[in-house]
């Protein structure tokens, strides 16, 4: 790959959240079309594939479950001379992309975020070193609460539903703090598996509170909730995830078919809406069990799901 091609890869990744046309919402099996990767694992629940300049990181809830891609990382620091951030930013802003300074920084590096694609970049010595492409298409919101002095989630979750409303009213979490709450709950699911029914019941209640309080826009709530219940089979009846997600798709089939190719041709608004559409489609298709016959609403979108690399759940299980 020439230097110009590598720089263009960085720009396309930042602007669209994709690398070589793939996004983290693609099914992992599609990413093996270039088999020149090294595969590494950290136990049974985390693995990554390394193509040199691009890495794809995967996780799953249980051994034997299908892999789910969490994010890509463009390892620009592996280039002989990583691109200058100011030049990349100038090109992005010229194309209409808004770039914000991230709150995470150290003495020798800064972090920036391209808002439409929700992508991030680590900058050191004025050069782009790492570009983060998350599966989550929604804005990064920093957590403002340290948790100091709050009752541990473990105690709250097992105290019984009658205690939960008063606890949440006292806590009065800000928007960014909800991710903090669910992060603690995720750790309990992982570390204390014998009480998973209690963690799931508490998590479902928390999500309903988040919906009632309009913590997130409807499509963002649906995505967070869907990822939660899909990782916990049986938490809700099959088909409920698809019914939640499909009415909230920001793009219809005609708009999806009309998306231009090339990062300079697609507008920031199209980037944002297409990424949300892909993420919600991924959740909806993962919800469908075998036999491989989708409901009518999903069948209509199957062509566009294939185009976007979103593989239906029944195919992932076969």
């Amino acid at each position: 790959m020439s230097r110009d091609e590598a720089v263009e890869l960085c720009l396309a990744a930042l602007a669209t959240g994709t690398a070589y046309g793939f996004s983290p919402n693609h099914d992992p099996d599609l990413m093996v079309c270039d088999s020149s990767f090294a595969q590494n694992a950290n136990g049974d629940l985390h693995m990554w594939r390394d193509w040199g300049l691009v890495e794809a990181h995967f996780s799953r809830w249980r051994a034997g479950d299908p892999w789910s891609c969490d994010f890509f990382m463009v390892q620009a620091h592996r280039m002989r001379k990583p691109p200058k951030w100011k030049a990349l930013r100038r090109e992005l802003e010229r194309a209409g992309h808004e770039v914000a300074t991230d709150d995470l920084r150290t003495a020798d590096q800064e972090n920036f975020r391209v808002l439409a694609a929700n992508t991030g970049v680590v900058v050191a010595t004025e050069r782009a070193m790492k570009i983060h492409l998350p599966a989550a298409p929604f804005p990064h919101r920093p957590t403002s609460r340290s948790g100091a002095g709050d009752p541990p989630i473990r105690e709250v979750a097992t105290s019984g539903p009658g205690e939960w409303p008063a606890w949440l009213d006292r806590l009065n979490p800000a928007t960014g703090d909800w991710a903090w709450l669910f992060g603690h709950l995720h750790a309990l699911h992982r570390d204390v598996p014998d009480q998973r029914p209690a963690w799931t019941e508490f998590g479902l209640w928390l999500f309903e509170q988040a919906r009632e309080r309009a913590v997130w826009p409807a499509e963002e709530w649906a995505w967070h909730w869907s990822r939660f219940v899909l990782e916990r089979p049986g938490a809700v009846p099959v088909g409920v995830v698809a019914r939640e997600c499909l009415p909230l798709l920001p793009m219809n089939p005609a708009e999806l078919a009309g998306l231009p190719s090339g990062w300079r041709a697609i507008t920031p608004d199209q980037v944002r809406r297409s990424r949300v559409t892909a993420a919600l489609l991924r959740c909806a298709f993962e919800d469908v069990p075998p036999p491989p016959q989708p409901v009518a609403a999903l069948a209509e979108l199957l062509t566009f799901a294939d185009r976007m690399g979103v593989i239906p759940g029944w195919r992932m299980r076969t």
Side-chain angles (χ1 to χ4, degrees):
M1 177 183 292
S2 70
R3 176 170 177 78
D4 286 346
E5 290 172 331
V7 170
E8 196 66 13
L9 169 68
C10 293
L11 284 166
L14 285 162
T16 67
T18 64
Y20 302 119
F22 292 104
S23 89
N25 282 300
H26 280 77
D27 182 77
D29 289 341
L30 291 182
M31 300 179 197
V32 300
C33 59
D34 178 356
S35 59
S36 60
F37 60 84
Q39 183 160 310
N40 307 277
N42 181 10
D44 293 327
L45 306 181
H46 297 89
M47 72 98 165
W48 65 100
R49 290 171 175 166
D50 186 349
W51 283 266
L53 198 55
V54 176
E55 292 179 354
H57 291 251
F58 306 86
S59 67
R60 56 186 176 184
W61 192 245
R62 300 173 183 83
D65 284 356
W67 290 106
S68 178
C69 188
D70 300 314
F71 63 91
F72 291 169
M73 188 69 76
V74 178
Q75 304 285 18
H77 68 282
R78 294 177 179 173
M79 298 169 61
R80 188 167 66 177
K81 185 179 286 188
K84 287 192 174 182
W85 166 238
K86 285 185 178 180
L88 295 180
R89 181 170 186 169
R90 185 167 54 247
E91 284 293 305
L92 291 166
E93 291 179 337
R94 184 177 295 149
H97 285 276
E98 184 178 354
V99 179
T101 303
D102 214 328
D103 59 328
L104 180 63
R105 64 176 60 201
T106 65
D108 57 354
Q109 71 179 39
E110 293 181 284
N111 293 264
F112 299 88
R113 189 164 297 275
V114 181
L115 300 187
N118 195 36
T119 52
V121 58
V122 177
V123 177
T125 63
E126 300 184 349
R127 297 184 180 274
M129 296 297 183
K130 291 178 178 286
I131 297 172
H132 182 243
L133 285 59
F138 299 103
H140 166 72
R141 296 186 177 95
T143 297
S144 59
R145 185 181 299 274
S146 68
D150 295 324
I153 295 293
R154 179 198 295 256
E155 295 179 11
V156 174
T158 55
S159 65
E163 302 295 325
W164 298 342
W167 163 80
L168 190 59
D169 287 341
R170 290 194 303 271
L171 190 64
N172 191 27
T175 298
D177 297 335
W178 286 83
W180 169 82
L181 290 172
F182 287 112
H184 278 272
L185 195 56
H186 182 87
L188 286 174
H189 273 273
R190 180 194 62 214
D191 299 336
V192 192
D194 58 324
Q195 294 195 57
R196 279 181 178 169
W199 315 140
T200 298
E201 181 185 10
F202 180 64
L204 290 173
W205 177 83
L206 265 184
F207 268 109
E208 285 308 310
Q209 302 309 301
R211 194 211 292 255
E212 290 178 9
R213 297 172 185 226
V215 171
W216 300 301
E219 65 272 18
E220 184 173 355
W221 180 91
W223 184 83
H224 288 294
W225 172 84
S226 296
R227 298 317 314 165
F228 181 88
V229 299
L230 287 170
E231 289 176 341
R232 297 156 179 84
V236 299
V238 170
V240 172
V241 170
R243 288 199 297 272
E244 289 282 355
C245 291
L246 291 180
L248 298 172
L249 298 181
M251 301 189 87
N252 60 39
E255 290 174 308
L256 290 171
L259 281 174
S261 60
W263 75 268
R264 287 178 174 83
I266 186 170
T267 68
D269 181 64
Q270 288 174 319
V271 168
R272 181 191 62 80
R273 291 190 294 127
S274 64
R275 278 179 51 76
V276 173
T277 300
L280 291 178
L281 276 177
R282 171 178 162 181
C283 293
F285 278 118
E286 284 183 23
D287 185 40
V288 181
Q293 295 299 323
V295 298
L298 288 174
E300 183 183 350
L301 291 164
L302 183 57
T303 299
F304 302 100
D306 280 344
R307 177 185 173 187
M308 301 174 81
V310 179
I311 298 300
W314 65 81
R315 294 188 184 176
M316 295 171 68
R317 295 182 178 96
T318 58

